[in-house]
Each structure stands twice: as C-alpha cells, then as structure tokens.
C-alpha cells in the first residue's frame, strides 16, 4: 500500500501529464511514489518540478533508445544534455567531474510555461513535507532517517518476469509496486538463496 498522500500522487501525475502535453513521446509515469522516497546525488536530492522535468529527460531518452548516462547512471552525458535543452532545462558550461550535466535548472521560458503546474506541485510537496515531519516527530525511523538518507540508501536489483531489471532502494519498492513497461508485471527483489540459512 502506498504511503503517498493521494493529493501529492495526483499532483505528481498531473505535472507529468502537463509535461507529456508538450512532449507527447514521454512515456507514462508508472509510479509517482518512486520519486518521493529516493534521493540521488546524480539526479537531485529534493523532489520538485525541476527534478520531475529532469526525470522526464531520462524518460524521453529511454523512449528514443538513447543512452543518456554512464557510470551506473551517475554521469549525465551530452545526449542527456541535448534532450534536457529540448525540455527547457539550462545547464552549466562545463560538466561536473562525477555527474556530468545532471545539475540542470529550469530556463525562464519553461518557468513561464509550467508556472501553474509548478505552483500546485509546490503546495502539495509543502503539505507532504509538513505531514512527514509531524509523523517523524512521533515515531522512531532509525539511523537512516536521522542522517537524511532515503530510508535504505543502497539500491538493489529488482526484476520482472520478462527479464528486465531496475535498480531501486528497497523502501521505495515497498511503498507501491513499480510496474514494468514491457510486460506490465511488477518488479520484485529476488530472494537471495541461502539468506534464510544464515
């Protein structure tokens, strides 16, 4: 069951749909929840419309069959950059040594185009943050929460029955299923043989 408030999930889906109106080749967002709990130094640690647009660049790259990153998804190359520019993202002149051109920002035209969507999403994120902070004050969430981790930090391989796989933080996958776009079945983390014996 998802822990994402329905309003935030709806706003994330609505914001993604707004991006799709301007870029119809962008695939559907299978699980908005997957963007909430995960932090990534390569893709931005805080969820925002800018981060959503960054993820849309990856979505379009996947739809086009373009390899837009290397180094296990950390380094964002010039192919990522070209698509980012199409979507209204500016970039630094020189790539970051370890993450490449990942640090993109909304350009003025994109800010104008998406202003109402950005404002709605910011309100929903603010409400979600307030609710999460209130929940955290009442319950112990372990050392990962105290140090700003996404609640697991380390990504593991999740697989689907058709053989495709993704890297995901286990706590994100536990929030709601992430569905394979190829076969429509949910990704799962395979059990390690012999884990029960140890």
């Amino acid at each position: 069951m998802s822990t994402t408030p329905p309003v935030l999930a709806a706003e994330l889906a609505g914001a993604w749909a707004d991006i799709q109106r301007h870029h119809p080749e962008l695939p559907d967002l299978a699980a908005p929840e997957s963007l909430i709990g995960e932090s990534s130094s390569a893709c931005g640690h805080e969820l925002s419309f800018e981060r959503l647009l960054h993820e849309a660049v990856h979505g379009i790259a996947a739809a086009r069959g373009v390899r837009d990153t290397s180094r296990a998804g950390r380094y964002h190359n010039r192919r990522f950059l070209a698509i980012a520019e199409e979507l209204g993202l500016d970039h630094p002149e020189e790539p970051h040594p370890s993450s490449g051109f990942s640090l993109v920002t909304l350009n003025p035209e994109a800010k104008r185009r998406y202003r109402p969507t950005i404002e709605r999403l910011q309100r929903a994120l603010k409400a979600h943050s307030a609710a999460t902070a209130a929940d955290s004050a009442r319950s112990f969430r372990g050392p990962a929460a105290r140090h700003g981790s996404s609640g697991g930090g380390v990504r593991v391989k999740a697989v689907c029955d058709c053989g495709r796989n993704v890297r995901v933080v286990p706590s994100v996958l536990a929030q709601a299923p992430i569905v394979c776009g190829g076969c429509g079945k949910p990704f799962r983390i395979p059990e390690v043989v012999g884990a029960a014996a140890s």
Side-chain angles (χ1 to χ4, degrees), residues 100-121:
F101 293 101
S102 68
L103 304 174
V104 289
T105 57
L106 283 168
N107 69 27
E109 181 183 336
K111 285 179 185 176
R112 280 190 301 277
R113 176 187 308 140
Y114 294 113
R115 178 172 284 124
T117 303
I118 292 168
E119 290 170 356
R120 282 193 312 273
L121 184 58

Side-chain angles (χ1 to χ4, degrees), residues 33-55:
E33 297 87 356
S34 66
L35 296 174
I36 295 167
E38 181 177 345
S39 67
S40 166
S41 58
C43 293
H45 65 283
E46 187 176 310
L47 184 57
S48 64
F49 185 79
E50 197 167 77
R51 164 86 188 277
L52 202 61
L53 205 56
H54 177 126
E55 296 300 333

Side-chain angles (χ1 to χ4, degrees), residues 26-161:
L26 177 63
D28 291 339
L29 182 61
E33 297 87 356
S34 66
L35 296 174
I36 295 167
E38 181 177 345
S39 67
S40 166
S41 58
C43 293
H45 65 283
E46 187 176 310
L47 184 57
S48 64
F49 185 79
E50 197 167 77
R51 164 86 188 277
L52 202 61
L53 205 56
H54 177 126
E55 296 300 333
V57 173
H58 291 304
I60 289 176
R64 293 178 181 174
V66 171
R67 186 168 177 204
D68 63 340
T69 63
S70 59
R71 301 181 196 165
R74 289 185 308 275
Y75 191 87
H76 294 59
N77 60 35
R78 291 193 182 276
R79 290 180 292 273
F80 170 86
L81 185 59
I83 299 170
E85 289 173 346
E86 289 177 38
L87 269 68
L89 292 166
D90 282 337
H91 57 87
E93 286 296 317
E94 295 297 319
H96 185 275
S98 62
S99 62
F101 293 101
S102 68
L103 304 174
V104 289
T105 57
L106 283 168
N107 69 27
E109 181 183 336
K111 285 179 185 176
R112 280 190 301 277
R113 176 187 308 140
Y114 294 113
R115 178 172 284 124
T117 303
I118 292 168
E119 290 170 356
R120 282 193 312 273
L121 184 58
Q122 283 176 333
R123 284 192 298 271
L125 286 166
K126 187 175 179 181
H128 175 70
S129 293
T132 303
D135 284 347
S136 295
R138 292 192 307 262
S139 62
F140 177 73
R141 294 180 56 215
R146 290 195 309 273
H147 299 293
S149 171
S150 62
V154 179
R155 294 181 191 205
V156 297
K157 183 164 66 170
V159 298
C160 74
D161 291 340

Side-chain angles (χ1 to χ4, degrees), residues 3 33 37-38 149-154 156 168-176 189:
T3 57
E33 297 87 356
E38 181 177 345
S149 171
S150 62
V154 179
V156 297
V168 63
V169 177
S171 62
V172 171
L173 192 59
Q175 291 175 9
I189 298 172

